[in-house]
Amino acid sequence: MCADEMRVVGAPGTGKTDYLRRQVTNFVESKRYAPSDVVLTSFTRSAAAVLRGRIAVPDQNIATLHALAYRALGSPPLAEK
């Protein structure tokens, strides 16, 4: 894990999203990071949708890790058998 990486893990309903919202707000208000500098990943699409609805970060910066990697590769065509 690099110095600017944060991992938040917990069971449903434990306040992970609220914690992330507070951290992102603090980082942006302190001018440590711009909202476009923040990338949030989740394990599921539904969790990413919750993050998008509650945290002021550009939508393209919030997704599952797989979706972010796919976009980073230029959204190549998927192979079919």
Side-chain angles (χ1 to χ4, degrees), residues 9-67:
V9 180
T14 57
K16 298 178 298 292
T17 302
D18 286 335
Y19 175 77
L20 284 171
R21 184 185 46 73
R22 286 191 309 271
Q23 292 302 310
V24 170
T25 299
N26 290 339
F27 290 153
V28 171
E29 287 178 353
S30 70
K31 307 277 192 250
R32 183 172 175 188
Y33 297 101
S36 61
D37 294 333
V38 177
V39 176
L40 301 171
T41 65
S42 66
F43 287 116
T44 65
R45 286 183 230 158
S46 60
V50 169
L51 292 172
R52 266 186 234 105
R54 296 188 189 172
I55 300 179
V57 171
D59 284 351
Q60 69 269 15
N61 289 16
I62 302 175
T64 63
L65 185 58
H66 294 103

